[in-house]
PDB file of all heavy atoms in Angstrom:
ATOM      1  N   ILE G1223     101.042  95.549 100.933  1.00 98.00           N
ATOM      2  CA  ILE G1223     100.728  96.493  99.860  1.00 98.00           C
ATOM      3  C   ILE G1223     101.926  97.405  99.640  1.00 98.00           C
ATOM      4  O   ILE G1223     102.405  98.044 100.580  1.00 98.00           O
ATOM      5  CB  ILE G1223      99.477  97.331 100.198  1.00 98.00           C
ATOM      6  CG1 ILE G1223      98.268  96.413 100.409  1.00 98.00           C
ATOM      7  CG2 ILE G1223      99.214  98.364  99.105  1.00 98.00           C
ATOM      8  CD1 ILE G1223      97.021  97.117 100.886  1.00 98.00           C
ATOM      9  N   ARG G1224     102.359  97.474  98.396  1.00 97.00           N
ATOM     10  CA  ARG G1224     103.483  98.355  98.041  1.00 97.00           C
ATOM     11  C   ARG G1224     102.994  99.798  98.077  1.00 97.00           C
ATOM     12  O   ARG G1224     101.954 100.121  97.525  1.00 97.00           O
ATOM     13  CB  ARG G1224     103.995  98.006  96.652  1.00 97.00           C
ATOM     14  CG  ARG G1224     105.208  98.796  96.257  1.00 97.00           C
ATOM     15  CD  ARG G1224     105.708  98.339  94.877  1.00 97.00           C
ATOM     16  NE  ARG G1224     107.012  98.866  94.615  1.00 97.00           N
ATOM     17  CZ  ARG G1224     108.155  98.357  95.054  1.00 97.00           C
ATOM     18  NH1 ARG G1224     108.140  97.284  95.806  1.00 97.00           N
ATOM     19  NH2 ARG G1224     109.306  98.926  94.770  1.00 97.00           N
ATOM     20  N   CYS G1225     103.781 100.662  98.753  1.00 97.00           N
ATOM     21  CA  CYS G1225     103.412 102.065  98.863  1.00 97.00           C
ATOM     22  C   CYS G1225     104.634 102.891  99.219  1.00 97.00           C
ATOM     23  O   CYS G1225     105.320 102.593 100.191  1.00 97.00           O
ATOM     24  CB  CYS G1225     102.333 102.249  99.941  1.00 97.00           C
ATOM     25  SG  CYS G1225     101.899 103.968 100.270  1.00 97.00           S
ATOM     26  N   ASP G1226     104.884 103.916  98.433  1.00 97.00           N
ATOM     27  CA  ASP G1226     105.899 104.913  98.768  1.00 97.00           C
ATOM     28  C   ASP G1226     105.182 105.988  99.581  1.00 97.00           C
ATOM     29  O   ASP G1226     104.382 106.748  99.038  1.00 97.00           O
ATOM     30  CB  ASP G1226     106.510 105.496  97.496  1.00 97.00           C
ATOM     31  CG  ASP G1226     107.569 106.554  97.760  1.00 97.00           C
ATOM     32  OD1 ASP G1226     107.603 107.129  98.875  1.00 97.00           O
ATOM     33  OD2 ASP G1226     108.353 106.832  96.837  1.00 97.00           O
ATOM     34  N   VAL G1227     105.435 106.038 100.871  1.00 98.00           N
ATOM     35  CA  VAL G1227     104.699 106.943 101.758  1.00 98.00           C
ATOM     36  C   VAL G1227     104.933 108.413 101.436  1.00 98.00           C
ATOM     37  O   VAL G1227     104.176 109.268 101.882  1.00 98.00           O
ATOM     38  CB  VAL G1227     105.007 106.666 103.247  1.00 98.00           C
ATOM     39  CG1 VAL G1227     104.524 105.270 103.648  1.00 98.00           C
ATOM     40  CG2 VAL G1227     106.482 106.856 103.566  1.00 98.00           C
ATOM     41  N   SER G1228     105.957 108.704 100.649  1.00 97.00           N
ATOM     42  CA  SER G1228     106.209 110.102 100.277  1.00 97.00           C
ATOM     43  C   SER G1228     105.309 110.572  99.141  1.00 97.00           C
ATOM     44  O   SER G1228     105.300 111.750  98.808  1.00 97.00           O
ATOM     45  CB  SER G1228     107.682 110.299  99.893  1.00 97.00           C
ATOM     46  OG  SER G1228     107.967 109.691  98.655  1.00 97.00           O
ATOM     47  N   LYS G1229     104.524 109.657  98.576  1.00 98.00           N
ATOM     48  CA  LYS G1229     103.630 109.989  97.457  1.00 98.00           C
ATOM     49  C   LYS G1229     102.181 109.907  97.917  1.00 98.00           C
ATOM     50  O   LYS G1229     101.671 108.826  98.224  1.00 98.00           O
ATOM     51  CB  LYS G1229     103.889 109.056  96.285  1.00 98.00           C
ATOM     52  CG  LYS G1229     105.298 109.208  95.745  1.00 98.00           C
ATOM     53  CD  LYS G1229     105.564 108.301  94.585  1.00 98.00           C
ATOM     54  CE  LYS G1229     106.987 108.547  94.082  1.00 98.00           C
ATOM     55  NZ  LYS G1229     107.359 107.593  93.057  1.00 98.00           N
ATOM     56  N   GLU G1230     101.529 111.060  97.959  1.00 97.00           N
ATOM     57  CA  GLU G1230     100.169 111.134  98.492  1.00 97.00           C
ATOM     58  C   GLU G1230      99.190 110.229  97.759  1.00 97.00           C
ATOM     59  O   GLU G1230      98.304 109.635  98.394  1.00 97.00           O
ATOM     60  CB  GLU G1230      99.673 112.580  98.476  1.00 97.00           C
ATOM     61  CG  GLU G1230     100.399 113.466  99.474  1.00 97.00           C
ATOM     62  CD  GLU G1230      99.893 114.894  99.467  1.00 97.00           C
ATOM     63  OE1 GLU G1230      98.668 115.092  99.592  1.00 97.00           O
ATOM     64  OE2 GLU G1230     100.731 115.817  99.343  1.00 97.00           O
ATOM     65  N   ASP G1231      99.317 110.093  96.445  1.00 98.00           N
ATOM     66  CA  ASP G1231      98.398 109.237  95.700  1.00 98.00           C
ATOM     67  C   ASP G1231      98.563 107.771  96.082  1.00 98.00           C
ATOM     68  O   ASP G1231      97.578 107.028  96.173  1.00 98.00           O
ATOM     69  CB  ASP G1231      98.545 109.437  94.190  1.00 98.00           C
ATOM     70  CG  ASP G1231      99.946 109.141  93.673  1.00 98.00           C
ATOM     71  OD1 ASP G1231     100.934 109.329  94.417  1.00 98.00           O
ATOM     72  OD2 ASP G1231     100.059 108.720  92.496  1.00 98.00           O
ATOM     73  N   GLU G1232      99.791 107.345  96.351  1.00 98.00           N
ATOM     74  CA  GLU G1232     100.016 105.964  96.779  1.00 98.00           C
ATOM     75  C   GLU G1232      99.501 105.742  98.199  1.00 98.00           C
ATOM     76  O   GLU G1232      98.984 104.665  98.516  1.00 98.00           O
ATOM     77  CB  GLU G1232     101.497 105.595  96.668  1.00 98.00           C
ATOM     78  CG  GLU G1232     101.970 105.498  95.227  1.00 98.00           C
ATOM     79  CD  GLU G1232     103.367 104.947  95.082  1.00 98.00           C
ATOM     80  OE1 GLU G1232     103.831 104.184  95.971  1.00 98.00           O
ATOM     81  OE2 GLU G1232     104.012 105.262  94.063  1.00 98.00           O
ATOM     82  N   VAL G1233      99.630 106.738  99.061  1.00 98.00           N
ATOM     83  CA  VAL G1233      99.101 106.636 100.427  1.00 98.00           C
ATOM     84  C   VAL G1233      97.577 106.510 100.384  1.00 98.00           C
ATOM     85  O   VAL G1233      97.001 105.675 101.073  1.00 98.00           O
ATOM     86  CB  VAL G1233      99.542 107.849 101.275  1.00 98.00           C
ATOM     87  CG1 VAL G1233      98.784 107.913 102.587  1.00 98.00           C
ATOM     88  CG2 VAL G1233     101.046 107.796 101.530  1.00 98.00           C
ATOM     89  N   LYS G1234      96.927 107.316  99.538  1.00 98.00           N
ATOM     90  CA  LYS G1234      95.464 107.233  99.406  1.00 98.00           C
ATOM     91  C   LYS G1234      95.059 105.848  98.913  1.00 98.00           C
ATOM     92  O   LYS G1234      94.117 105.246  99.433  1.00 98.00           O
ATOM     93  CB  LYS G1234      94.934 108.302  98.474  1.00 98.00           C
ATOM     94  CG  LYS G1234      93.410 108.261  98.367  1.00 98.00           C
ATOM     95  CD  LYS G1234      92.841 109.313  97.460  1.00 98.00           C
ATOM     96  CE  LYS G1234      91.343 109.282  97.331  1.00 98.00           C
ATOM     97  NZ  LYS G1234      90.605 108.114  97.686  1.00 98.00           N
ATOM     98  N   ALA G1235      95.781 105.333  97.927  1.00 98.00           N
ATOM     99  CA  ALA G1235      95.473 103.991  97.413  1.00 98.00           C
ATOM    100  C   ALA G1235      95.653 102.924  98.488  1.00 98.00           C
ATOM    101  O   ALA G1235      94.860 101.983  98.580  1.00 98.00           O
ATOM    102  CB  ALA G1235      96.346 103.685  96.197  1.00 98.00           C
ATOM    103  N   LEU G1236      96.677 103.073  99.321  1.00 98.00           N
ATOM    104  CA  LEU G1236      96.903 102.145 100.433  1.00 98.00           C
ATOM    105  C   LEU G1236      95.723 102.169 101.400  1.00 98.00           C
ATOM    106  O   LEU G1236      95.198 101.119 101.788  1.00 98.00           O
ATOM    107  CB  LEU G1236      98.193 102.506 101.171  1.00 98.00           C
ATOM    108  CG  LEU G1236      98.455 101.781 102.498  1.00 98.00           C
ATOM    109  CD1 LEU G1236      98.802 100.320 102.259  1.00 98.00           C
ATOM    110  CD2 LEU G1236      99.552 102.471 103.277  1.00 98.00           C
ATOM    111  N   MET G1237      95.304 103.364 101.790  1.00 98.00           N
ATOM    112  CA  MET G1237      94.184 103.486 102.729  1.00 98.00           C
ATOM    113  C   MET G1237      92.896 102.932 102.117  1.00 98.00           C
ATOM    114  O   MET G1237      92.133 102.238 102.800  1.00 98.00           O
ATOM    115  CB  MET G1237      93.989 104.939 103.146  1.00 98.00           C
ATOM    116  CG  MET G1237      95.126 105.494 103.972  1.00 98.00           C
ATOM    117  SD  MET G1237      95.328 104.574 105.513  1.00 98.00           S
ATOM    118  CE  MET G1237      96.743 105.416 106.183  1.00 98.00           C
ATOM    119  N   ASP G1238      92.661 103.227 100.845  1.00 98.00           N
ATOM    120  CA  ASP G1238      91.468 102.702 100.162  1.00 98.00           C
ATOM    121  C   ASP G1238      91.486 101.175 100.152  1.00 98.00           C
ATOM    122  O   ASP G1238      90.472 100.530 100.420  1.00 98.00           O
ATOM    123  CB  ASP G1238      91.377 103.234  98.732  1.00 98.00           C
ATOM    124  CG  ASP G1238      91.028 104.714  98.662  1.00 98.00           C
ATOM    125  OD1 ASP G1238      90.601 105.298  99.685  1.00 98.00           O
ATOM    126  OD2 ASP G1238      91.198 105.296  97.562  1.00 98.00           O
ATOM    127  N   ALA G1239      92.654 100.588  99.865  1.00 98.00           N
ATOM    128  CA  ALA G1239      92.779  99.130  99.844  1.00 98.00           C
ATOM    129  C   ALA G1239      92.573  98.531 101.232  1.00 98.00           C
ATOM    130  O   ALA G1239      91.908  97.497 101.379  1.00 98.00           O
ATOM    131  CB  ALA G1239      94.142  98.723  99.290  1.00 98.00           C
ATOM    132  N   ALA G1240      93.120  99.176 102.250  1.00 98.00           N
ATOM    133  CA  ALA G1240      92.937  98.685 103.625  1.00 98.00           C
ATOM    134  C   ALA G1240      91.466  98.708 104.015  1.00 98.00           C
ATOM    135  O   ALA G1240      90.943  97.746 104.591  1.00 98.00           O
ATOM    136  CB  ALA G1240      93.769  99.521 104.595  1.00 98.00           C
ATOM    137  N   LEU G1241      90.784  99.805 103.681  1.00 97.00           N
ATOM    138  CA  LEU G1241      89.350  99.904 103.999  1.00 97.00           C
ATOM    139  C   LEU G1241      88.532  98.894 103.217  1.00 97.00           C
ATOM    140  O   LEU G1241      87.594  98.293 103.752  1.00 97.00           O
ATOM    141  CB  LEU G1241      88.844 101.321 103.732  1.00 97.00           C
ATOM    142  CG  LEU G1241      89.261 102.375 104.753  1.00 97.00           C
ATOM    143  CD1 LEU G1241      88.843 103.763 104.282  1.00 97.00           C
ATOM    144  CD2 LEU G1241      88.678 102.073 106.123  1.00 97.00           C
ATOM    145  N   LYS G1242      88.871  98.719 101.950  1.00 97.00           N
ATOM    146  CA  LYS G1242      88.137  97.757 101.126  1.00 97.00           C
ATOM    147  C   LYS G1242      88.324  96.336 101.652  1.00 97.00           C
ATOM    148  O   LYS G1242      87.386  95.548 101.680  1.00 97.00           O
ATOM    149  CB  LYS G1242      88.601  97.844  99.674  1.00 97.00           C
ATOM    150  CG  LYS G1242      87.837  96.941  98.740  1.00 97.00           C
ATOM    151  CD  LYS G1242      88.285  97.108  97.299  1.00 97.00           C
ATOM    152  CE  LYS G1242      87.470  96.192  96.404  1.00 97.00           C
ATOM    153  NZ  LYS G1242      87.898  96.260  95.010  1.00 97.00           N
ATOM    154  N   THR G1243      89.536  96.025 102.101  1.00 97.00           N
ATOM    155  CA  THR G1243      89.843  94.676 102.586  1.00 97.00           C
ATOM    156  C   THR G1243      89.271  94.407 103.970  1.00 97.00           C
ATOM    157  O   THR G1243      88.689  93.347 104.221  1.00 97.00           O
ATOM    158  CB  THR G1243      91.374  94.452 102.608  1.00 97.00           C
ATOM    159  OG1 THR G1243      91.890  94.687 101.301  1.00 97.00           O
ATOM    160  CG2 THR G1243      91.715  93.049 103.053  1.00 97.00           C
ATOM    161  N   PHE G1244      89.413  95.365 104.896  1.00 98.00           N
ATOM    162  CA  PHE G1244      89.056  95.113 106.293  1.00 98.00           C
ATOM    163  C   PHE G1244      87.931  95.984 106.841  1.00 98.00           C
ATOM    164  O   PHE G1244      87.464  95.738 107.951  1.00 98.00           O
ATOM    165  CB  PHE G1244      90.296  95.247 107.180  1.00 98.00           C
ATOM    166  CG  PHE G1244      91.351  94.220 106.879  1.00 98.00           C
ATOM    167  CD1 PHE G1244      92.570  94.589 106.347  1.00 98.00           C
ATOM    168  CD2 PHE G1244      91.110  92.874 107.113  1.00 98.00           C
ATOM    169  CE1 PHE G1244      93.552  93.642 106.065  1.00 98.00           C
ATOM    170  CE2 PHE G1244      92.071  91.918 106.832  1.00 98.00           C
ATOM    171  CZ  PHE G1244      93.298  92.301 106.306  1.00 98.00           C
ATOM    172  N   GLY G1245      87.537  97.035 106.115  1.00 97.00           N
ATOM    173  CA  GLY G1245      86.392  97.848 106.535  1.00 97.00           C
ATOM    174  C   GLY G1245      86.690  98.947 107.532  1.00 97.00           C
ATOM    175  O   GLY G1245      85.837  99.784 107.791  1.00 97.00           O
ATOM    176  N   ARG G1246      87.889  98.956 108.088  1.00 97.00           N
ATOM    177  CA  ARG G1246      88.239  99.980 109.072  1.00 97.00           C
ATOM    178  C   ARG G1246      89.746 100.003 109.288  1.00 97.00           C
ATOM    179  O   ARG G1246      90.441  99.057 108.927  1.00 97.00           O
ATOM    180  CB  ARG G1246      87.510  99.768 110.385  1.00 97.00           C
ATOM    181  CG  ARG G1246      87.773  98.454 111.073  1.00 97.00           C
ATOM    182  CD  ARG G1246      86.927  98.241 112.333  1.00 97.00           C
ATOM    183  NE  ARG G1246      87.215  99.250 113.342  1.00 97.00           N
ATOM    184  CZ  ARG G1246      86.329 100.160 113.773  1.00 97.00           C
ATOM    185  NH1 ARG G1246      85.104 100.171 113.304  1.00 97.00           N
ATOM    186  NH2 ARG G1246      86.666 101.036 114.692  1.00 97.00           N
ATOM    187  N   ILE G1247      90.222 101.080 109.900  1.00 98.00           N
ATOM    188  CA  ILE G1247      91.627 101.196 110.297  1.00 98.00           C
ATOM    189  C   ILE G1247      91.628 101.722 111.725  1.00 98.00           C
ATOM    190  O   ILE G1247      91.174 102.829 111.977  1.00 98.00           O
ATOM    191  CB  ILE G1247      92.414 102.145 109.375  1.00 98.00           C
ATOM    192  CG1 ILE G1247      92.372 101.647 107.920  1.00 98.00           C
ATOM    193  CG2 ILE G1247      93.864 102.281 109.864  1.00 98.00           C
ATOM    194  CD1 ILE G1247      92.895 102.641 106.914  1.00 98.00           C
ATOM    195  N   ASP G1248      92.100 100.901 112.636  1.00 98.00           N
ATOM    196  CA  ASP G1248      92.091 101.258 114.054  1.00 98.00           C
ATOM    197  C   ASP G1248      93.445 101.729 114.567  1.00 98.00           C
ATOM    198  O   ASP G1248      93.516 102.480 115.536  1.00 98.00           O
ATOM    199  CB  ASP G1248      91.653 100.046 114.887  1.00 98.00           C
ATOM    200  CG  ASP G1248      90.291  99.557 114.466  1.00 98.00           C
ATOM    201  OD1 ASP G1248      89.296 100.237 114.781  1.00 98.00           O
ATOM    202  OD2 ASP G1248      90.218  98.510 113.786  1.00 98.00           O
ATOM    203  N   ILE G1249      94.509 101.241 113.931  1.00 98.00           N
ATOM    204  CA  ILE G1249      95.864 101.527 114.393  1.00 98.00           C
ATOM    205  C   ILE G1249      96.721 101.862 113.179  1.00 98.00           C
ATOM    206  O   ILE G1249      96.675 101.156 112.171  1.00 98.00           O
ATOM    207  CB  ILE G1249      96.474 100.300 115.114  1.00 98.00           C
ATOM    208  CG1 ILE G1249      95.605  99.875 116.298  1.00 98.00           C
ATOM    209  CG2 ILE G1249      97.913 100.582 115.556  1.00 98.00           C
ATOM    210  CD1 ILE G1249      95.881  98.461 116.794  1.00 98.00           C
ATOM    211  N   LEU G1250      97.494 102.923 113.303  1.00 98.00           N
ATOM    212  CA  LEU G1250      98.497 103.254 112.293  1.00 98.00           C
ATOM    213  C   LEU G1250      99.840 103.347 112.994  1.00 98.00           C
ATOM    214  O   LEU G1250      99.985 104.096 113.966  1.00 98.00           O
ATOM    215  CB  LEU G1250      98.189 104.590 111.610  1.00 98.00           C
ATOM    216  CG  LEU G1250      99.301 105.160 110.721  1.00 98.00           C
ATOM    217  CD1 LEU G1250      99.624 104.228 109.552  1.00 98.00           C
ATOM    218  CD2 LEU G1250      98.921 106.553 110.227  1.00 98.00           C
ATOM    219  N   VAL G1251     100.803 102.575 112.513  1.00 98.00           N
ATOM    220  CA  VAL G1251     102.163 102.658 113.019  1.00 98.00           C
ATOM    221  C   VAL G1251     103.038 103.199 111.888  1.00 98.00           C
ATOM    222  O   VAL G1251     103.249 102.524 110.883  1.00 98.00           O
ATOM    223  CB  VAL G1251     102.703 101.290 113.502  1.00 98.00           C
ATOM    224  CG1 VAL G1251     104.131 101.432 114.027  1.00 98.00           C
ATOM    225  CG2 VAL G1251     101.794 100.702 114.578  1.00 98.00           C
ATOM    226  N   ASN G1252     103.499 104.426 112.055  1.00 97.00           N
ATOM    227  CA  ASN G1252     104.380 105.072 111.085  1.00 97.00           C
ATOM    228  C   ASN G1252     105.816 104.681 111.401  1.00 97.00           C
ATOM    229  O   ASN G1252     106.486 105.327 112.197  1.00 97.00           O
ATOM    230  CB  ASN G1252     104.215 106.599 111.142  1.00 97.00           C
ATOM    231  CG  ASN G1252     102.955 107.046 110.463  1.00 97.00           C
ATOM    232  OD1 ASN G1252     102.723 106.751 109.297  1.00 97.00           O
ATOM    233  ND2 ASN G1252     102.120 107.763 111.201  1.00 97.00           N
ATOM    234  N   ASN G1253     106.259 103.611 110.775  1.00 96.00           N
ATOM    235  CA  ASN G1253     107.575 103.052 111.033  1.00 96.00           C
ATOM    236  C   ASN G1253     108.532 103.234 109.851  1.00 96.00           C
ATOM    237  O   ASN G1253     109.735 103.119 110.017  1.00 96.00           O
ATOM    238  CB  ASN G1253     107.428 101.559 111.363  1.00 96.00           C
ATOM    239  CG  ASN G1253     108.754 100.885 111.551  1.00 96.00           C
ATOM    240  OD1 ASN G1253     109.474 101.163 112.496  1.00 96.00           O
ATOM    241  ND2 ASN G1253     109.097  99.994 110.632  1.00 96.00           N
ATOM    242  N   ALA G1254     108.023 103.528 108.671  1.00 95.00           N
ATOM    243  CA  ALA G1254     108.869 103.623 107.475  1.00 95.00           C
ATOM    244  C   ALA G1254     109.941 104.684 107.668  1.00 95.00           C
ATOM    245  O   ALA G1254     109.681 105.752 108.217  1.00 95.00           O
ATOM    246  CB  ALA G1254     108.027 103.960 106.250  1.00 95.00           C
ATOM    247  N   GLY G1255     111.127 104.364 107.229  1.00 92.00           N
ATOM    248  CA  GLY G1255     112.220 105.318 107.312  1.00 92.00           C
ATOM    249  C   GLY G1255     113.519 104.674 106.908  1.00 92.00           C
ATOM    250  O   GLY G1255     113.611 103.453 106.780  1.00 92.00           O
ATOM    251  N   PHE G1256     114.514 105.516 106.695  1.00 91.00           N
ATOM    252  CA  PHE G1256     115.841 105.006 106.375  1.00 91.00           C
ATOM    253  C   PHE G1256     116.874 106.018 106.826  1.00 91.00           C
ATOM    254  O   PHE G1256     116.549 107.166 107.131  1.00 91.00           O
ATOM    255  CB  PHE G1256     115.979 104.694 104.878  1.00 91.00           C
ATOM    256  CG  PHE G1256     116.037 105.912 103.994  1.00 91.00           C
ATOM    257  CD1 PHE G1256     117.262 106.420 103.563  1.00 91.00           C
ATOM    258  CD2 PHE G1256     114.872 106.547 103.574  1.00 91.00           C
ATOM    259  CE1 PHE G1256     117.318 107.542 102.745  1.00 91.00           C
ATOM    260  CE2 PHE G1256     114.923 107.662 102.753  1.00 91.00           C
ATOM    261  CZ  PHE G1256     116.152 108.168 102.335  1.00 91.00           C
ATOM    262  N   GLY G1257     118.104 105.578 106.872  1.00 90.00           N
ATOM    263  CA  GLY G1257     119.194 106.448 107.290  1.00 90.00           C
ATOM    264  C   GLY G1257     120.243 106.581 106.198  1.00 90.00           C
ATOM    265  O   GLY G1257     120.417 105.679 105.393  1.00 90.00           O
ATOM    266  N   ILE G1258     120.883 107.718 106.185  1.00 89.00           N
ATOM    267  CA  ILE G1258     122.055 107.907 105.332  1.00 89.00           C
ATOM    268  C   ILE G1258     123.184 108.391 106.227  1.00 89.00           C
ATOM    269  O   ILE G1258     122.955 109.115 107.189  1.00 89.00           O
ATOM    270  CB  ILE G1258     121.811 108.904 104.173  1.00 89.00           C
ATOM    271  CG1 ILE G1258     121.223 110.229 104.662  1.00 89.00           C
ATOM    272  CG2 ILE G1258     120.924 108.287 103.109  1.00 89.00           C
ATOM    273  CD1 ILE G1258     121.026 111.276 103.576  1.00 89.00           C
ATOM    274  N   SER G1259     124.373 107.951 105.912  1.00 88.00           N
ATOM    275  CA  SER G1259     125.529 108.314 106.735  1.00 88.00           C
ATOM    276  C   SER G1259     126.519 109.122 105.916  1.00 88.00           C
ATOM    277  O   SER G1259     126.625 108.950 104.708  1.00 88.00           O
ATOM    278  CB  SER G1259     126.233 107.054 107.244  1.00 88.00           C
ATOM    279  OG  SER G1259     125.386 106.329 108.083  1.00 88.00           O
ATOM    280  N   GLY G1260     127.243 109.961 106.599  1.00 89.00           N
ATOM    281  CA  GLY G1260     128.310 110.706 105.957  1.00 89.00           C
ATOM    282  C   GLY G1260     128.347 112.135 106.435  1.00 89.00           C
ATOM    283  O   GLY G1260     127.437 112.628 107.089  1.00 89.00           O
ATOM    284  N   ALA G1261     129.433 112.785 106.093  1.00 90.00           N
ATOM    285  CA  ALA G1261     129.594 114.193 106.443  1.00 90.00           C
ATOM    286  C   ALA G1261     128.582 115.029 105.666  1.00 90.00           C
ATOM    287  O   ALA G1261     128.276 114.737 104.512  1.00 90.00           O
ATOM    288  CB  ALA G1261     131.013 114.645 106.124  1.00 90.00           C
ATOM    289  N   ILE G1262     128.073 116.052 106.302  1.00 90.00           N
ATOM    290  CA  ILE G1262     127.044 116.903 105.705  1.00 90.00           C
ATOM    291  C   ILE G1262     127.478 117.442 104.348  1.00 90.00           C
ATOM    292  O   ILE G1262     126.706 117.419 103.387  1.00 90.00           O
ATOM    293  CB  ILE G1262     126.672 118.061 106.657  1.00 90.00           C
ATOM    294  CG1 ILE G1262     126.002 117.505 107.906  1.00 90.00           C
ATOM    295  CG2 ILE G1262     125.776 119.074 105.973  1.00 90.00           C
ATOM    296  CD1 ILE G1262     125.815 118.526 109.005  1.00 90.00           C
TER     297      ILE G1262
END
C-alpha cells in the first residue's frame, strides 16, 4: 500500500486498509526513512 507516513490522512487510510484486509494489526515496524548528506 502506497503511503507517505508524514501525511496523517494517508496513514489513517493505510491502517483502515490493513484492518479491512486482515481484521487486526499485531505488529508495527516503523522502518521508513531516508538520509541526506552534506555540510549543514
